[in-house]
């Protein structure tokens, strides 16, 4: 499962909210997907990392599905 809780924490540390990236790098539909922990393209994660100047582990983590 995709988990964007590291992104939320990173944004909080930077005194930002996800909507600060709206239109500049993220489409509103992509923001909605992130808020629901849904899959997004890896290129989108790359854009977020570059925009925030952080490594990927500060944006997303993979959580194994419960068996």
């Amino acid at each position: 499962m995709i988990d964007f809780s590291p992104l939320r924490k990173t944004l909080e540390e930077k005194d930002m909210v996800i909507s600060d990236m709206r239109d500049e790098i993220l489409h509103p539909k992509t923001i909605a997907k992130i808020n629901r922990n849904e899959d997004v393209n890896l290129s989108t994660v790359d854009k977020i990392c570059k925009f925030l100047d952080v490594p990927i582990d500060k944006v997303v983590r993979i959580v194994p599905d419960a068996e």
Side-chain angles (χ1 to χ4, degrees):
M1 172 174 127
I2 304 294
D3 177 21
F4 285 99
S5 61
L7 174 59
R8 293 177 192 89
K9 183 176 180 185
T10 299
L11 289 171
E12 183 178 317
E13 290 169 356
K14 292 182 174 279
D15 198 29
M16 297 175 68
V17 293
I18 196 164
S19 62
D20 291 337
M21 295 185 281
R22 180 178 290 131
D23 298 329
E24 188 166 343
I25 68 163
L26 296 178
H27 188 276
K29 288 183 180 181
T30 304
I31 291 174
K33 283 183 166 186
I34 289 171
N35 286 334
R36 294 187 304 259
N37 285 324
E38 293 180 357
D39 295 346
V40 297
N41 290 326
L42 192 53
S43 62
T44 300
V45 174
D46 180 55
K47 287 178 188 177
I48 295 169
C49 290
K50 288 176 180 174
F51 180 79
L52 297 174
D53 193 27
V54 295
I56 193 169
D57 62 328
K58 294 284 191 173
V59 174
V60 67
R61 69 186 187 117
I62 305 298
V63 179
D65 292 332
E67 294 182 20

